[in-house]
Coordinates of all heavy atoms in Angstrom, one line a residue:
W1 N 1.5 7.8 4.1 CA 0.9 8.4 2.9 C 1.6 8.0 1.7 O 1.0 7.9 0.6 CB 0.8 9.9 3.1 CG -0.2 10.3 4.1 CD1 0.1 10.8 5.4 CD2 -1.6 10.2 4.1 NE1 -1.1 11.0 6.1 CE2 -2.1 10.6 5.3 CE3 -2.4 9.7 3.1 CZ2 -3.5 10.6 5.6 CZ3 -3.8 9.7 3.4 CH2 -4.3 10.1 4.6
R2 N 3.0 7.9 1.8 CA 3.7 7.4 0.6 C 3.3 6.0 0.2 O 3.2 5.7 -1.0 CB 5.2 7.5 0.8 CG 6.1 7.2 -0.4 CD 7.5 7.2 -0.1 NE 8.0 8.5 0.4 CZ 8.4 9.5 -0.4 NH1 8.3 9.3 -1.7 NH2 8.7 10.7 0.1
K3 N 3.1 5.2 1.2 CA 2.7 3.8 0.9 C 1.2 3.8 0.3 O 0.9 3.1 -0.6 CB 2.7 3.0 2.2 CG 4.1 2.7 2.7 CD 4.0 2.0 4.0 CE 5.4 1.8 4.6 NZ 5.4 1.2 5.9
M4 N 0.4 4.7 0.9 CA -1.0 4.8 0.4 C -1.1 5.3 -1.0 O -1.7 4.7 -1.9 CB -1.8 5.7 1.4 CG -3.2 5.9 0.9 SD -4.2 4.4 0.9 CE -5.8 5.1 0.4
L5 N -0.4 6.4 -1.3 CA -0.5 7.0 -2.6 C 0.4 6.3 -3.6 O 0.2 6.4 -4.8 CB -0.1 8.5 -2.5 CG -1.0 9.3 -1.6 CD1 -0.5 10.7 -1.6 CD2 -2.4 9.3 -2.1
G6 N 1.4 5.5 -3.1 CA 2.2 4.7 -4.1 C 1.9 3.3 -4.1 O 2.7 2.4 -4.4
G7 N 0.6 2.9 -3.7 CA 0.2 1.5 -3.6 C 0.1 0.8 -4.9 O 0.1 -0.4 -4.9
D8 N 0.1 1.6 -6.0 CA 0.0 0.9 -7.3 C 1.4 0.5 -7.9 O 1.5 0.0 -9.0 CB -0.6 1.8 -8.3 CG 0.1 3.1 -8.5 OD1 0.8 3.6 -7.6 OD2 0.1 3.7 -9.7
V9 N 2.5 0.7 -7.1 CA 3.8 0.3 -7.5 C 4.1 -1.0 -6.9 O 3.9 -1.3 -5.7 CB 4.8 1.4 -7.0 CG1 6.2 1.0 -7.4 CG2 4.5 2.7 -7.6
D10 N 4.7 -1.9 -7.7 CA 5.1 -3.2 -7.3 C 6.5 -3.2 -6.5 O 7.5 -2.9 -7.2 CB 5.2 -4.2 -8.4 CG 5.5 -5.6 -8.0 OD1 5.7 -5.9 -6.8 OD2 5.5 -6.5 -8.9
R11 N 6.4 -3.3 -5.2 CA 7.7 -3.2 -4.4 C 8.1 -4.6 -3.9 O 8.8 -4.7 -2.9 CB 7.5 -2.2 -3.3 CG 7.4 -0.8 -3.7 CD 7.4 0.1 -2.5 NE 7.4 1.5 -2.9 CZ 6.3 2.3 -3.0 NH1 5.1 1.7 -2.8 NH2 6.4 3.6 -3.3
T12 N 7.5 -5.6 -4.4 CA 7.7 -7.0 -3.9 C 9.1 -7.5 -4.1 O 9.5 -8.5 -3.5 CB 6.7 -8.0 -4.4 OG1 6.8 -8.0 -5.9 CG2 5.3 -7.6 -4.0
Y13 N 9.9 -6.9 -5.0 CA 11.2 -7.3 -5.3 C 12.2 -6.7 -4.2 O 13.2 -7.3 -3.9 CB 11.7 -6.9 -6.7 CG 11.0 -7.7 -7.8 CD1 10.0 -7.2 -8.5 CD2 11.4 -9.0 -8.0 CE1 9.4 -7.9 -9.5 CE2 10.8 -9.8 -9.0 CZ 9.8 -9.2 -9.8 OH 9.1 -9.9 -10.7
S14 N 11.9 -5.5 -3.7 CA 12.8 -4.8 -2.8 C 12.4 -5.0 -1.4 O 13.1 -4.6 -0.5 CB 12.8 -3.3 -3.1 OG 11.5 -2.8 -3.0
R15 N 11.2 -5.6 -1.1 CA 10.7 -5.8 0.3 C 10.3 -7.2 0.5 O 9.8 -7.9 -0.4 CB 9.6 -4.9 0.6 CG 9.9 -3.4 0.6 CD 8.6 -2.6 0.9 NE 8.9 -1.2 1.0 CZ 7.9 -0.3 1.0 NH1 6.7 -0.7 0.8 NH2 8.2 1.0 1.1
K16 N 10.4 -7.7 1.7 CA 9.9 -9.0 2.0 C 8.4 -9.0 2.0 O 7.8 -10.0 1.6 CB 10.4 -9.4 3.4 CG 11.9 -9.7 3.5 CD 12.2 -10.2 4.9 CE 13.7 -10.5 5.0 NZ 14.1 -11.0 6.3
F17 N 7.8 -7.9 2.4 CA 6.3 -7.8 2.4 C 5.9 -6.4 2.1 O 6.3 -5.5 2.9 CB 5.8 -8.2 3.8 CG 4.3 -8.3 3.9 CD1 3.6 -9.4 3.3 CD2 3.5 -7.4 4.5 CE1 2.3 -9.5 3.3 CE2 2.1 -7.5 4.5 CZ 1.5 -8.5 4.0
D18 N 5.2 -6.2 1.0 CA 4.8 -4.8 0.6 C 3.4 -4.6 1.0 O 2.5 -5.3 0.4 CB 5.0 -4.7 -0.9 CG 4.5 -3.4 -1.4 OD1 4.5 -2.4 -0.6 OD2 4.1 -3.3 -2.6
F19 N 3.1 -3.8 2.0 CA 1.8 -3.6 2.5 C 1.3 -2.2 2.4 O 2.1 -1.2 2.4 CB 1.7 -4.2 3.9 CG 2.3 -3.3 4.9 CD1 1.6 -2.3 5.6 CD2 3.7 -3.4 5.2 CE1 2.2 -1.5 6.5 CE2 4.3 -2.6 6.2 CZ 3.6 -1.6 6.8
S20 N 0.0 -2.0 2.5 CA -0.7 -0.7 2.6 C -1.8 -0.9 3.5 O -2.5 -1.9 3.5 CB -1.1 -0.2 1.2 OG 0.0 0.1 0.4
A21 N -2.1 0.1 4.3 CA -3.3 0.1 5.2 C -4.1 1.4 5.0 O -3.6 2.4 4.7 CB -2.8 0.1 6.6
A22 N -5.4 1.2 5.2 CA -6.3 2.4 5.0 C -7.6 2.1 5.7 O -8.0 1.0 5.9 CB -6.5 2.7 3.5
A23 N -8.2 3.2 6.1 CA -9.6 3.2 6.6 C -10.4 3.9 5.5 O -10.1 5.0 5.1 CB -9.7 3.9 7.9
V24 N -11.5 3.3 5.1 CA -12.3 3.8 4.0 C -13.8 3.8 4.4 O -14.2 2.9 5.1 CB -12.1 3.0 2.7 CG1 -10.7 3.1 2.2 CG2 -12.5 1.5 2.9
P25 N -14.6 4.7 3.9 CA -16.0 4.7 4.1 C -16.6 3.5 3.4 O -16.1 3.0 2.4 CB -16.5 6.0 3.5 CG -15.5 6.4 2.6 CD -14.2 5.9 3.1
R26 N -17.7 3.0 3.9 CA -18.3 1.8 3.3 C -19.8 2.0 3.3 O -20.4 2.6 4.2 CB -17.9 0.5 4.0 CG -18.6 -0.8 3.5 CD -18.2 -2.0 4.4 NE -19.0 -3.1 4.0 CZ -18.6 -4.1 3.2 NH1 -17.4 -3.9 2.6 NH2 -19.4 -5.1 2.9
Y27 N -20.5 1.5 2.3 CA -21.9 1.5 2.2 C -22.5 0.3 1.5 O -21.9 -0.1 0.4 CB -22.4 2.8 1.5 CG -23.9 2.9 1.4 CD1 -24.7 3.4 2.5 CD2 -24.6 2.4 0.3 CE1 -26.0 3.4 2.4 CE2 -25.9 2.5 0.2 CZ -26.7 3.0 1.3 OH -28.0 3.0 1.2

């Protein structure tokens, strides 16, 4: 949830790979 809710933060300098995962409704 921290990754999901903090997904707008650029963490590419402190991590090799900054990822987020989510399941969302689609239509």
Side-chain angles (χ1 to χ4, degrees):
W1 291 110
R2 187 183 296 274
K3 292 173 183 176
M4 175 64 181
L5 297 179
D8 61 329
V9 178
D10 186 356
R11 294 187 174 92
T12 55
Y13 290 103
S14 59
R15 292 177 177 166
K16 291 183 178 180
F17 187 76
D18 175 26
F19 71 92
S20 295
V24 295
R26 178 183 170 93
Y27 178 85

